[in-house]
Amino acid sequence: MTETPIFPRVGIIGIGLIGSSLARAMQLGRLAGEITIFDASAEARAAAQELDLGQVHDRLGDAIADADLVIVAVPIGAYAALGPQLARGLKPGAILSDVGSVKQAVVRDLGPHVPEGVHFIPGHPIAGTEHSGPRAGFAELFKGRWAILTPVPGTDSAATERLKALWERMGSMVEIMEPSHHDQVLAITSHLPHLIAYTIVDTATQLETSTQSEVIKFSASGFRDFTRIAASDPTMWRDIFLNNREAVLEILGRFTEDLTALQRAIRWGEGDKLFETFTRTREVRRGIIDAKQA
Amino acid sequence: MTETPIFPRVGIIGIGLIGSSLARAMQLGRLAGEITIFDASAEARAAAQELDLGQVHDRLGDAIADADLVIVAVPIGAYAALGPQLARGLKPGAILSDVGSVKQAVVRDLGPHVPEGVHFIPGHPIAGTEHSGPRAGFAELFKGRWAILTPVPGTDSAATERLKALWERMGSMVEIMEPSHHDQVLAITSHLPHLIAYTIVDTATQLETSTQSEVIKFSASGFRDFTRIAASDPTMWRDIFLNNREAVLEILGRFTEDLTALQRAIRWGEGDKLFETFTRTREVRRGIIDAKQA
Ligand SMILES: NC(=O)c1ccc[n+]([C@@H]2O[C@H](COP(=O)([O-])OP(=O)(O)OC[C@H]3O[C@@H](n4cnc5c(N)ncnc54)[C@H](OP(=O)(O)O)[C@@H]3O)[C@@H](O)[C@H]2O)c1
Ligand SMILES: NC(=O)c1ccc[n+]([C@@H]2O[C@H](COP(=O)([O-])OP(=O)(O)OC[C@H]3O[C@@H](n4cnc5c(N)ncnc54)[C@H](OP(=O)(O)O)[C@@H]3O)[C@@H](O)[C@H]2O)c1
């Protein structure tokens, strides 16, 4: 019954929602011989210890020494400072990967620090919740969800295959993609939806207090779904918008044009235009149901 | 065990999602002695018959004759034409109500036709799904949800109490409100969220085909929630926007301002502003969870 783990030793940097879910999924599937953990937060480290997610270290260097795979799972804004520390500690032949929600900025911030002989394969699981921290993680988070890998040109394909196998054993489907393409696709599927949800909930918070309490009372009529999205971690999302600026601004421009057209149709009572648009959008839902991502 | 029903005879006009849910909830709670049904669609009538939702009639007049309560549950755009027909058939002392998602337009379209001696108490359950038709209904739809009643000035309070009791027995909490206030509150909690969801999904449909299939694949990252909302019935939503124009345009104006401010913060890399906004919006979610509407 004892299968060989895919990696003898995996280091996880950042043991929040995603990092702790990785630890649990690898434990459940016996995918790592050993899991070593570092987090900048003493509280997170203590929780990781208590939850028995792996061997918790107080220094990043100790968590990555001798690791065959290191996965960075911290907010994007923290990557730049990690670069030099990772450079010092990674062993030749190791794989350096991550789970960050944008990919060009990761290549920009970590790429220059990757030592000779280390395989740099950034990644991003399309899975998450609005909760944060080590207690929010669960082993099934990645099951049935996509994981995107964006290996830099010239990456050893055997290393990519090995990382792909890890994600697949955690239940994910894996797609290989260019970092720039990743950032474009995610700008529409994730970053713009979050920006809009944050905006509409913020618009509501600026209403007079009496109306605000009614907004909460009657939120079941649509608003509620936006508040869940707009409850996502502020640090994570600030970093995403600051680090995927161009793609977000580009898709936001298109969205604003389309919204202006609908606004105009409402103002001028153009029912046919509204009906046409609302019929077209229905099809997309069917596509998602057919693709089993609903 | 046989309780007296609240209304001996209830007529439902329009046996779609909401109408059929009403019929089921009233059957389950034995709240109506008899349920009579009319729908303009022969298909819906046949389904209502097959599902045994009540006594199905081919003419509106037969469904409302002798009814103690008539509930209109058709798209808002169909109300104006119903007015004269209702005027002819309603018996003195009857209550005329509805479930339409806007309320000023209902008062405008039906109000002038309400015969002397009939109590006109428009209503709106804050409950629904993205599905339509008699087969989509279920008895528990209104449970734990709010129902808003907007009686016109001078309405007999005993009639309002009786209608309130009906909604409460179907599991709802009831709130009494001015039609204009209803339309304002719903513009932010429901109409704007739907407009925005329709827009973002429409923006996605206009991307090149290859990107579109990726949008569907990776929709779990936020987009998916919008597609569910944007799969709602096009007729119903066209009618809502055409009939709550002022309130929708007003709140849309505020939303656009707020979105422009965030866009600017992204463009100029103002992380603090983003962080502040994203922190503020989190509070709203807590309010909704505390109010048990999550
Ligand atoms: N949440 C999602 O839905 C989701 C989905 C896909 C991908 N991602 C990506 O996954 C990454 C982690 O997100 P998460 O949701 O797991 O975040 P999280 O729950 O907030 O956890 C991040 C952890 O990293 C720690 N940290 C911050 N800077 C660090 C550093 N320099 N060195 C070591 N640890 C550090 C944080 O400590 P402090 O709390 O003290 O800062 C925190 O404990 C982000 O890049 C995000 O874009 C998130
Ligand atoms: N869906 C929701 O989430 C929700 C929530 C709260 C309130 N509401 C309100 O409830 C009302 C009904 O919505 P729904 O979702 O139940 O709609 P639905 O499932 O589409 O059902 C409406 C039914 O009314 C029929 N109809 C149309 N015009 C008619 C007429 N003049 N006389 C008789 N029947 C007619 C329709 O037939 P055809 O299909 O042939 O037109 C259809 O069978 C709307 O005013 C809506 O604003 C909806």
Side-chain angles (χ1 to χ4, degrees):
Chain A
M1 257 303 293
T2 43
E3 279 185 75
T4 324
I6 300 179
F7 292 96
R9 192 173 172 143
V10 177
I12 301 178
I13 309 303
I15 197 72
L17 169 69
I18 302 295
S20 68
S21 295
L22 282 171
R24 288 173 208 261
M26 287 192 271
Q27 284 178 341
L28 190 73
R30 296 169 193 232
L31 306 175
E34 215 177 330
I35 296 173
T36 52
I37 293 168
F38 172 73
D39 195 293
S41 150
E43 206 186 316
R45 287 199 305 271
Q49 192 110 48
E50 193 194 316
L51 296 166
D52 210 11
L53 299 177
Q55 220 175 289
V56 181
H57 293 277
D58 288 344
R59 284 189 324 208
L60 185 141
D62 297 334
I64 67 172
D66 211 34
D68 307 283
L69 167 66
V70 169
I71 305 183
V72 175
V74 305
I76 296 290
Y79 277 59
L82 284 182
Q85 288 177 272
L86 290 167
R88 278 195 298 277
L90 287 164
K91 77 170 179 191
I95 295 176
L96 173 63
S97 188
D98 81 311
V99 296
S101 306
V102 305
K103 298 270 62 82
Q104 282 171 291
V106 166
V107 172
R108 176 197 70 200
D109 288 347
L110 292 188
H113 300 283
V114 180
E116 192 71 31
V118 168
H119 309 289
F120 182 36
I121 312 174
H124 178 206
I126 310 302
T129 74
E130 71 276 25
H131 305 295
S132 308
R135 295 182 200 281
F138 53 99
E140 297 73 26
L141 179 61
F142 310 112
K143 228 172 140 175
R145 297 295 164 205
W146 287 91
I148 297 174
L149 298 181
T150 64
V152 297
T155 299
D156 177 21
S157 65
T160 306
E161 281 308 314
R162 213 168 148 206
L163 187 58
K164 185 164 177 267
L166 177 70
W167 281 103
E168 286 171 350
R169 291 275 294 278
M170 293 191 292
S172 293
M173 296 87 75
V174 175
E175 180 110 344
I176 310 285
M177 215 182 261
E178 288 284 319
S180 60
H181 189 64
H182 167 279
D183 288 359
Q184 257 174 30
V185 171
L186 270 290
I188 169 103
T189 58
S190 177
H191 308 169
L192 181 60
H194 277 79
L195 187 67
I196 284 167
Y198 277 123
T199 306
I200 189 169
V201 175
D202 194 41
T203 303
T205 65
Q206 292 169 57
L207 299 170
E208 29 168 348
T209 323
S210 66
T211 312
Q212 255 185 67
S213 69
E214 288 175 319
V215 167
I216 287 179
K217 224 169 182 175
F218 307 123
S219 58
S221 46
F223 187 70
R224 181 177 58 182
D225 299 318
F226 289 73
T227 63
R228 197 181 49 68
I229 301 180
S232 300
D233 188 63
T235 305
M236 166 177 161
W237 282 98
R238 175 200 61 199
D239 289 358
I240 288 173
F241 292 118
L242 295 179
N243 286 285
N244 197 21
R245 189 187 320 214
E246 280 72 31
V248 168
L249 291 176
E250 146 71 17
I251 196 73
L252 180 54
R254 293 185 188 218
F255 169 83
T256 307
E257 275 175 32
D258 294 339
L259 186 60
T260 304
L262 283 185
Q263 181 175 23
R264 208 175 178 287
I266 292 173
R267 192 181 298 285
W268 296 102
E270 297 169 346
D272 292 356
K273 270 201 194 153
L274 296 175
F275 187 83
E276 244 172 61
T277 307
F278 301 168
T279 305
R280 200 159 55 216
T281 53
R282 264 198 150 168
E283 295 300 314
V284 179
R285 181 69 186 169
R286 289 199 193 108
I288 286 175
I289 290 169
D290 292 347
K292 297 200 172 49
Q293 293 295 308
Chain B
M1 258 305 293
T2 42
E3 281 185 74
T4 324
I6 299 179
F7 292 95
R9 193 174 171 141
V10 177
I12 301 177
I13 309 303
I15 196 74
L17 170 69
I18 302 294
S20 68
S21 295
L22 282 171
R24 287 172 207 260
M26 288 192 269
Q27 284 177 342
L28 189 72
R30 295 166 194 236
L31 306 175
E34 216 178 328
I35 295 173
T36 52
I37 292 166
F38 171 74
D39 195 292
S41 149
E43 207 185 313
R45 288 200 304 271
Q49 192 111 47
E50 192 194 313
L51 296 166
D52 210 11
L53 299 178
Q55 220 175 285
V56 180
H57 294 276
D58 288 344
R59 284 188 324 206
L60 186 141
D62 297 334
I64 67 172
D66 211 34
D68 307 282
L69 167 67
V70 169
I71 305 183
V72 175
V74 306
I76 297 291
Y79 276 58
L82 283 182
Q85 287 177 273
L86 290 167
R88 278 194 298 278
L90 285 165
K91 76 169 178 192
I95 295 176
L96 173 63
S97 189
D98 81 310
V99 296
S101 307
V102 304
K103 297 269 64 80
Q104 282 171 291
V106 166
V107 172
R108 176 197 69 202
D109 289 347
L110 291 188
H113 300 282
V114 179
E116 193 72 30
V118 168
H119 310 289
F120 181 37
I121 311 173
H124 178 206
I126 310 302
T129 74
E130 72 275 26
H131 304 294
S132 309
R135 293 181 201 282
F138 52 100
E140 298 74 23
L141 180 60
F142 310 111
K143 226 170 142 175
R145 297 293 164 208
W146 287 91
I148 297 174
L149 298 181
T150 64
V152 297
T155 299
D156 177 20
S157 65
T160 306
E161 281 307 314
R162 211 165 151 210
L163 186 58
K164 185 164 177 266
L166 177 71
W167 281 103
E168 287 172 348
R169 292 277 293 278
M170 293 191 292
S172 293
M173 295 87 76
V174 175
E175 178 111 344
I176 309 285
M177 215 182 262
E178 287 285 320
S180 61
H181 190 64
H182 167 280
D183 288 359
Q184 257 173 29
V185 171
L186 270 289
I188 169 100
T189 58
S190 177
H191 309 170
L192 182 60
H194 276 81
L195 186 67
I196 284 169
Y198 277 124
T199 305
I200 190 170
V201 176
D202 194 41
T203 303
T205 64
Q206 293 169 56
L207 299 170
E208 30 167 348
T209 323
S210 65
T211 311
Q212 254 185 66
S213 68
E214 288 175 318
V215 168
I216 287 179
K217 225 169 180 174
F218 306 124
S219 59
S221 45
F223 187 71
R224 180 179 57 183
D225 299 317
F226 289 73
T227 63
R228 196 182 48 70
I229 301 179
S232 300
D233 188 62
T235 305
M236 165 176 162
W237 281 97
R238 175 200 61 201
D239 289 359
I240 288 174
F241 291 117
L242 295 180
N243 286 285
N244 196 21
R245 190 188 318 215
E246 280 72 28
V248 168
L249 291 177
E250 146 70 15
I251 196 72
L252 181 55
R254 293 184 188 220
F255 170 83
T256 306
E257 276 175 30
D258 294 339
L259 186 60
T260 305
L262 283 185
Q263 181 175 25
R264 208 176 176 285
I266 293 173
R267 192 182 298 285
W268 296 101
E270 297 169 344
D272 292 355
K273 271 202 194 151
L274 297 175
F275 187 82
E276 245 172 61
T277 307
F278 302 168
T279 305
R280 201 160 52 217
T281 53
R282 262 197 151 168
E283 295 301 314
V284 179
R285 181 68 186 170
R286 290 202 192 105
I288 287 176
I289 290 170
D290 293 346
K292 297 200 172 51
Q293 293 295 308

